[in-house]
Amino acid sequence: MGDIGISIPKQRNVALMIRCEHLTKTYNGVPAVDDLCLDIQAGETFGLLGPNGAGKSTTILMLIGLIEPTAGACFIDDLEVAKNPIEVKHRIGYMPEDVGFYATLTAEENLDYSAKLYGMGADKRKERIAYLLDLVGLDNVEKDVGDYSKGMRQRLGLAKALINEPKVIILDEPTANLDPQGVADYRRIIGQVADEGTTVLVSSHILSEVSRVCTSAAILSRGRLVVSGTWEELAAAATGNRENITIHVETHSPMPAFDDPAIISVDYSDHRQKAKIVARSDIRDGIADALLAEGIAVRLIEAQEPTLEDVFLSYYHEEAVL
Ligand code: ADP
């Protein structure tokens, strides 16, 4: 797997806000995060992508100091997290997948409690809470948090993560359980937070969620870094290295399973009368021959230039089966 990892060098003149140096966490000898090296610049909106079990949450828990690495280290704003837990806590805001609140308190009361834990004075708390409730669109809501919808809870979770004016905000699967309006609200708020100069780290298993809000990303698989860089760098590296091709096939009767070794993935639809095949080379002739041999009439067979999503799905498929 080491050979597959593509590391794109960053410009060194920009300050690094998040740094992982050979970060490793093992559970019973099995690596959940394996020798991860990652640089995230100050002000970047960065996506941590990977299928379930890839090691995203474990990486985040080490970055916020909730668990300690087995080997290697991670740094926030040049502070080693394991050695400076209090200083790091003051620099980061963290939103887990399920944020906990006091159900019988209002949003304002919940945020006031969090702000007090950071030692913020009364005037500062009032000002910050008013700003954040306006930012997340909860400024005129009087009811207790126990009566909130999922989307409202998520927006309040963002406000809670931002209460201490962090330099870095870390969000673990922020759009899980959200409806489309909730996702749109979340994107708008994250955009505004990023515009104000906060470094944002978002983990997700959904490519489109990350590609729409982040300027750069890393893909993890089985605890290891597969690739990292800006979207342009990732797409260029991926197409340059793989030359994947997407082939659309439509037939008049259901298709068999294809067994060409060049195939990376096949997605069937319309009762297997349509297939989207991602392959390492143009295998249209082979597919046509295989269908003909089965007596299946072809309605359409065409190749398509790889989209960004195809490129990333190919990483997923390759890494997931290794
Ligand atoms: P992701 O967030 O990408 O879904 P995780 O970081 O949660 O991945 O998990 C990575 C791997 O580590 C998984 O195989 C998971 O089962 C394992 N793992 C995570 N936490 C623990 C734990 N506390 N004990 C044992 N194994 C764990």
Side-chain angles (χ1 to χ4, degrees):
M1 223 147 100
D3 296 334
I4 296 169
I6 305 163
S7 204
I8 297 159
K10 298 226 173 183
Q11 291 171 2
R12 296 300 305 190
N13 54 351
V14 182
L16 293 178
M17 186 54 75
I18 300 175
R19 196 151 50 91
C20 299
E21 282 185 359
H22 303 285
L23 189 65
T24 301
K25 180 73 184 176
T26 57
Y27 289 108
N28 302 319
V30 181
V33 174
D34 194 0
D35 200 30
L36 176 65
C37 295
L38 202 59
D39 286 349
I40 302 176
Q41 293 169 0
E44 247 184 320
T45 308
F46 195 94
L48 204 52
L49 273 169
N52 287 331
K56 305 182 295 296
S57 294
T58 305
T59 301
I60 286 176
L61 292 177
M62 288 190 278
L63 284 173
I64 65 171
L66 224 61
I67 57 173
E68 290 208 7
T70 311
C74 53
F75 301 81
I76 300 279
D77 202 16
D78 280 332
L79 291 165
E80 186 174 347
V81 176
K83 292 185 179 155
N84 305 275
I86 308 291
E87 292 86 342
V88 166
K89 189 172 165 44
H90 280 277
R91 284 168 168 75
I92 53 175
Y94 166 58
M95 190 176 84
E97 211 174 317
D98 289 308
V99 193
F101 293 110
Y102 294 96
T104 56
L105 300 184
T106 63
E108 194 173 346
E109 289 164 339
N110 267 282
L111 291 181
D112 197 53
Y113 180 72
S114 299
K116 277 182 187 157
L117 293 180
Y118 280 103
M120 289 164 71
D123 288 348
K124 179 75 192 160
R125 293 204 305 273
K126 203 163 172 228
E127 182 194 323
R128 185 72 183 154
I129 289 167
Y131 168 78
L132 289 172
L133 289 179
D134 177 58
L135 175 74
V136 301
L138 294 171
D139 43 343
N140 287 315
V141 184
E142 293 299 328
K143 61 184 173 184
D144 291 344
V145 173
D147 296 326
Y148 273 24
S149 68
K150 278 178 182 159
M152 290 167 81
R153 283 180 70 87
Q154 198 82 341
R155 282 184 279 142
L156 184 56
L158 270 170
K160 185 179 173 183
L162 290 164
I163 192 74
N164 56 328
E165 295 184 86
K167 289 184 167 185
V168 182
I169 182 163
I170 299 177
L171 315 170
D172 199 354
E173 299 276 356
T175 55
N177 314 317
L178 287 189
D179 61 17
Q181 182 60 49
V183 173
D185 290 339
Y186 144 80
R187 285 195 196 123
R188 174 186 58 77
I189 298 164
I190 289 302
Q192 203 167 328
V193 170
D195 284 347
E196 288 171 7
T198 311
T199 307
V200 180
L201 177 63
V202 179
S203 92
S204 181
H205 64 283
I206 305 167
L207 298 164
S208 59
E209 275 322 309
V210 167
S211 63
R212 290 184 75 156
V213 295
C214 298
T215 49
S216 312
I219 298 183
L220 295 187
S221 177
R222 300 188 165 209
R224 300 199 63 141
L225 179 70
V226 180
V227 63
S228 75
T230 65
W231 295 110
E232 293 75 23
E233 287 169 336
L234 297 183
T239 47
N241 276 281
R242 285 151 209 261
E243 293 176 7
N244 290 338
I245 184 168
T246 301
I247 300 165
H248 293 279
V249 187
E250 292 181 26
T251 52
H252 288 277
S253 48
M255 278 175 249
F258 297 105
D259 64 356
D260 192 307
I263 290 177
I264 295 167
S265 67
V266 186
D267 291 312
Y268 295 102
S269 57
D270 279 9
H271 307 286
R272 292 179 79 98
Q273 286 180 217
K274 286 187 181 172
K276 181 182 167 189
I277 299 169
V278 178
R280 289 181 190 81
S281 56
D282 188 351
I283 52 166
R284 278 177 291 176
D285 289 347
I287 291 170
D289 288 348
L291 291 170
L292 216 63
E294 299 268 344
I296 296 170
V298 176
R299 188 188 292 158
L300 172 142
I301 181 160
E302 66 179 15
Q304 179 198 356
E305 285 293 306
T307 64
L308 199 58
E309 182 147 11
D310 294 328
V311 168
F312 286 103
L313 279 176
S314 73
Y315 280 131
Y316 267 45
H317 282 286
E318 280 195 14
E319 298 308 310
V321 296
L322 279 175

